[in-house]
Amino acid sequence: MSYVDEVIELVEKKNASEPEFLQAVKEVLNSLRVVIEADEEKYRKEALLERICEPERQIKFRVPWVDDKGQVQVNTGYRIQFNSAIGPYKGGLRLHPSVNTGIIKFLGFEQIFKNSLTGLPIGGGKGGSDFDPKGKSDREVMAFCQSFMTELCKHIGADTDVPAGDIGTGAREIGYMFGQYKRIKGVYEGVLTGKGLTYGGSLARTEATGYGLLYITEEMMKCHGDTMEGKTVVVSGAGNVAIYAIQKAHQMGAKVVTCSDSTGWVYDPDGIDVELLKEIKEVKRARLTEYVAARPSAQYHEGRGVWQVKCDIALPCATQNELLIDDAKLLVANGCKAVCEGANMPTTIEATEYLQANGVLFICGKAANAGGVATSALEMSQNSERLSWTFEEVDSKLKQIMVNIYHNIDDAAKKYGLEGNYVAGANIAGFLKVAEAMEAQGVC
Ligand code: NDP
Ligand code: 2IT
């Protein structure tokens, strides 16, 4: 049996109850075959793949807090410190009722390769909790965040592990967590990114993931002799990534006609009104039904369905496994030319393969959404030198990083005879740097 197959079998056996983690591992290892098989005995002897699939450390803890009725609530907190070969652990904190060990492990595993692709010195980690911020008062969210950080602060630090936002964790949650860290540890340091601008945050971090997604999409289009101008774009999600993806797509002359949340989706033939969406989601924290109430030209539909809308480009920006095989068939049938993932692993393996087989340009999340964590690393740099860069400075660095990622993954795919397969290119380019660093550091 090949070394890659041996490790896939082992990982399946050890993690049978973690389907998302297995999905992420299989996608990566299958596309590394060309690299591993060229030097199989060396990698097997070093157990490099077994090591890269096993987190360095997993922390799981109780998070008790008191709700507004005086009732004690208990959630589970996680931080998975996956790989520190190229830098301190770095990755977001997800607050969503679906969070479990397998979800955090898949996200942490993806983060290793994504962070490597940014070209910046950051290792891979991820954390979060099954706490649901939806419908909670600010005081309840603060109580949760303070309790969560009371335990987490024992394990993180500006030079060891630097968490940030993800689903359910935005500026409000990061603020409460930062305050509690400072209070307990008595240190003012860049232990979190995505901070507010008055206490060490970076300009353009809020916009970075969505903007970065459009920068890489635009570069890919350019290299295929096309532009964003006049394109019809379908976006899923209505959170941080989706909002700023829509904004940048419009600035580039494209028209985004959909967005969605966990209860329904909006079709707006005139193009999504980003200011209205921001007001509903960032200020009021309300449902998308409010969008159509304010914009009669738009339609609201319950459930899922954005992928049935005819488009040139599709940008999944909500969550994992939200673009399935039937959705991929609809996209292809409707003439979609490109799919770039703003979310982490939003497209199933089957759907990805179908899109690629039908000539759709496809960039996976670990490359396409790397602008968020890259800008987090720029926030860490600013915190270290105790300076703040201008919006233009950060944004131009972000753009350059995304353009570089596109060319790195394109070159890696070409080098291994897989031209145009950006999934393989991303996995290979991300892996090679981490593998070299792990080898140089000996058995650890
Ligand atoms: P937000 O919490 O800001 O927004 C998430 C959006 O997706 C919301 O509209 C939410 O709807 C929807 N959504 C979440 N879970 C589900 C679900 N199970 N089913 C249907 N819809 C869902 O998160 P972000 O925008 O920050 O994150 C979106 C994706 O991007 C995630 O995969 C995240 O890991 C990834 N990502 C985020 C980065 C960042 O910097 N924030 C960086 C790189 C990747 P509702 O409000 O109804 O729950
Ligand atoms: O998935 C991701 O890359 C993020 N949620 C951002 C992580 C970060 O550290 O900024």
Side-chain angles (χ1 to χ4, degrees):
M1 198 190 281
S2 79
Y3 176 44
V4 166
D5 287 320
E6 273 170 37
V7 177
I8 290 178
E9 204 177 283
L10 178 83
V11 174
E12 275 176 333
K13 216 160 102 190
K14 284 182 85 169
N15 306 277
S17 61
E18 296 169 358
E20 292 86 3
F21 178 57
L22 293 178
Q23 182 182 339
V25 168
K26 280 185 198 165
E27 185 218 278
V28 171
L29 295 196
N30 277 321
S31 59
L32 291 179
R33 280 179 199 280
V34 279
V35 177
I36 303 297
E37 281 161 17
D39 213 347
E40 196 172 64
E41 283 322 304
K42 182 193 77 165
Y43 286 120
R44 185 186 268 123
K45 190 152 188 230
E46 290 174 342
L48 201 97
L49 295 181
E50 289 91 330
R51 282 195 277 152
I52 218 164
C53 293
E54 185 73 30
E56 288 177 18
R57 193 172 300 104
Q58 304 191 47
I59 301 142
K60 186 173 173 186
F61 51 97
R62 180 168 71 204
V63 188
W65 55 279
V66 182
D67 72 15
D68 285 347
K69 297 193 187 92
Q71 174 66 47
V72 176
Q73 301 286 344
V74 183
N75 288 99
T76 307
Y78 302 85
R79 187 71 185 166
I80 298 195
Q81 300 178 330
F82 221 120
N83 193 301
S84 61
I86 65 168
Y89 310 106
K90 183 84 197 85
L93 297 170
R94 179 173 291 191
L95 300 183
H96 193 271
S98 63
V99 163
N100 57 38
T101 303
I103 297 272
I104 301 299
K105 256 165 85 176
F106 116 66
L107 291 162
F109 184 72
E110 292 278 296
Q111 204 82 44
I112 302 169
F113 307 97
K114 181 195 305 193
N115 294 3
S116 168
L117 286 172
T118 65
L120 301 167
I122 39 178
K126 200 83 184 189
S129 173
D130 58 357
F131 173 77
D132 187 359
K134 259 189 224 124
K136 304 288 191 299
S137 69
D138 282 351
R139 195 211 62 80
E140 288 175 321
V141 170
M142 180 170 74
F144 167 82
C145 290
Q146 290 181 338
S147 180
F148 181 80
M149 185 52 84
T150 300
E151 180 59 30
L152 187 67
C153 74
K154 299 169 190 165
H155 311 284
I156 62 175
D159 294 315
T160 49
D161 184 355
V162 183
D166 193 79
I167 290 178
T169 306
R172 174 181 61 171
E173 291 73 20
I174 293 291
Y176 293 147
M177 289 182 197
F178 184 77
Q180 186 73 351
Y181 181 88
K182 182 165 60 75
R183 197 171 164 209
I184 298 176
K185 304 281 278 198
V187 189
Y188 204 113
E189 60 174 7
V191 67
L192 293 162
T193 59
K195 299 184 293 298
L197 297 177
T198 52
Y199 61 95
S202 173
L203 284 160
R205 175 63 188 90
T206 306
E207 295 84 354
T209 312
Y211 278 21
L213 174 66
L214 268 296
Y215 292 146
I216 198 169
T217 306
E218 185 183 49
E219 185 66 13
M220 178 181 72
M221 299 290 282
K222 195 175 106 190
C223 293
H224 286 81
D226 210 340
T227 66
M228 293 300 296
E229 185 75 38
K231 296 289 180 297
T232 300
V233 181
V234 158
V235 166
S236 65
N240 174 264
V241 180
I243 287 172
Y244 294 96
I246 297 169
Q247 187 173 75
K248 184 52 76 177
H250 286 168
Q251 287 171 12
M252 290 177 172
K255 182 160 81 170
V256 180
V257 292
T258 65
C259 63
S260 66
D261 64 16
S262 53
T263 51
W265 60 284
V266 163
Y267 172 62
D268 188 340
D270 298 333
I272 297 290
D273 180 337
V274 183
E275 289 312 312
L276 174 60
L277 188 62
K278 281 171 76 167
E279 174 70 19
I280 293 168
K281 287 295 175 184
E282 292 181 347
V283 182
K284 293 188 186 158
R285 298 180 189 277
R287 311 310 307 163
L288 276 179
T289 38
E290 297 224 354
Y291 184 92
V292 283
R295 219 153 131 106
S297 60
Q299 300 162 13
Y300 175 80
H301 303 270
E302 289 291 328
R304 57 194 296 286
V306 295
W307 314 123
Q308 67 191 265
V309 175
K310 187 172 164 52
C311 65
D312 303 302
I313 297 168
L315 305 173
C317 296
T319 192
Q320 65 276 359
N321 293 329
E322 52 155 328
L323 200 165
L324 314 176
I325 182 69
D326 288 342
D327 304 318
K329 287 180 179 167
L330 280 172
L331 287 169
V332 168
N334 284 330
C336 175
K337 295 183 188 69
V339 175
C340 297
E341 297 184 324
N344 286 307
M345 209 170 73
T347 315
T348 61
I349 292 180
E350 207 186 358
T352 302
E353 287 171 356
Y354 184 86
L355 292 168
Q356 290 177 316
N358 284 278
V360 176
L361 300 172
F362 183 91
I363 307 189
C364 56
K366 58 173 79 68
N369 70 37
V373 75
T375 308
S376 277
L378 300 179
E379 183 172 327
M380 290 165 71
S381 299
Q382 294 168 77
N383 291 166
S384 297
E385 60 176 18
R386 303 193 193 289
L387 291 172
S388 299
W389 307 340
T390 63
F391 187 95
E392 290 69 27
E393 213 172 337
V394 180
D395 189 42
S396 76
K397 285 188 164 66
L398 165 65
K399 187 168 184 181
Q400 194 55 55
I401 289 167
M402 298 314 294
V403 168
N404 290 346
I405 292 176
Y406 174 74
H407 290 286
N408 286 342
I409 67 176
D410 187 38
D411 290 346
K414 284 180 181 148
K415 185 171 168 200
Y416 286 90
L418 297 163
E419 181 161 1
N421 186 343
Y422 303 124
V423 176
N427 289 331
I428 291 168
F431 169 79
L432 286 172
K433 179 178 176 187
V434 176
E436 193 180 323
M438 287 173 74
E439 284 162 349
Q441 292 171 37
V443 178
C444 58

